[in-house]
Amino acid sequence: MASLGTKKAEFGVQFPLVGSKRSSSSFGIQLLDVATRAVGREPAPSLFDTKKWRFGYVPHMVSAVLGFVKAAPCEVEKGSLEVLDYVYNTMRFVDHNGVEKSLKEAMEDDKNCPKLTSKLVGGKKAPYSPDNVGCYYAPYLKETDKCYKGQELIDLVGSWSVLGTMDKSCVDAVTFYSDLKTLDLGDKYFVMLGASSEMGPLEYLLNFGATVLAIARPDKSKPKWLAMFKKAAFSKGGGTLIAPLLNDVVGADLITQCPSIARWICDTVPEGKEIIICSYAYMDGEKFVRVSAAMDAII
């Protein structure tokens, strides 16, 4: 059973203690037990006896997922809420005073989380115009420099749908956004959890005029934050980047500051505005479970 030890100070979202150590394996076993039972199935007895959990969890994960696939829609919703409730109540949060509570309790505690302020960059130098951002296109057949746009692009992805290599919903999306007038995001607020991610659409959102609340860890030398600020300052569509600050330090850590981040989002986005929250953060190993729990708790 994988134990994470207690050698150094632990803050933020953590796995629950098993004896004197935190165990990702123990949490995983109990979570799959809850998930399997949530839709009326019984877990295999071997779930609790699996050796080398790191390699042996796969069949139990598949079984839990199949249970949800085969369940009625109402059972899926009920079961999903039950699993999430287990996560929120079982995962722990340790504040910088060493006080430990459940993740759910930490997210509901308004009094004991540091308050973040904001830094704004870029914004509304010119009203959004399709002419500012160029055409919506897809590079294809790189060796011929062929680039599809407009109706030609719609026909291309439509042919892929006929072949079964692309879902029709993707074709519908490309068709809808082929007219750049529909891409004016000036009244939308996007929250990017993991804003510096390589797969994140920060530059595109800014180019289409969106306001982006960017969450990424503090960076002492600031290269990633400076790069994001530059994208905001020179965005073609006049988008705005809003970054969290704590004691004049730019950035916030999802694992250790998720309660503060959630409150900052609520305080920053004006009431009545549409908000889209996107999860892009990734970390290796057990940290990915912890940061995923933090992102989900924020949402």
Side-chain angles (χ1 to χ4, degrees), residues 121 206 225-235:
V121 179
L206 293 170
W225 277 108
L226 290 175
M228 288 191 285
F229 291 156
K230 184 176 179 180
K231 290 177 181 178
F234 296 99
S235 66

Side-chain angles (χ1 to χ4, degrees), residues 28 32 40 65 78 87 113 120 131 151 154 199 237 253 261 264 279 293:
L32 287 179
V65 171
K78 179 177 177 294
V87 172
C113 63
L120 277 69
D131 296 333
Q151 189 59 48
I154 294 171
M199 67 177 285
D253 189 297
I261 291 170
W264 175 72
S279 300

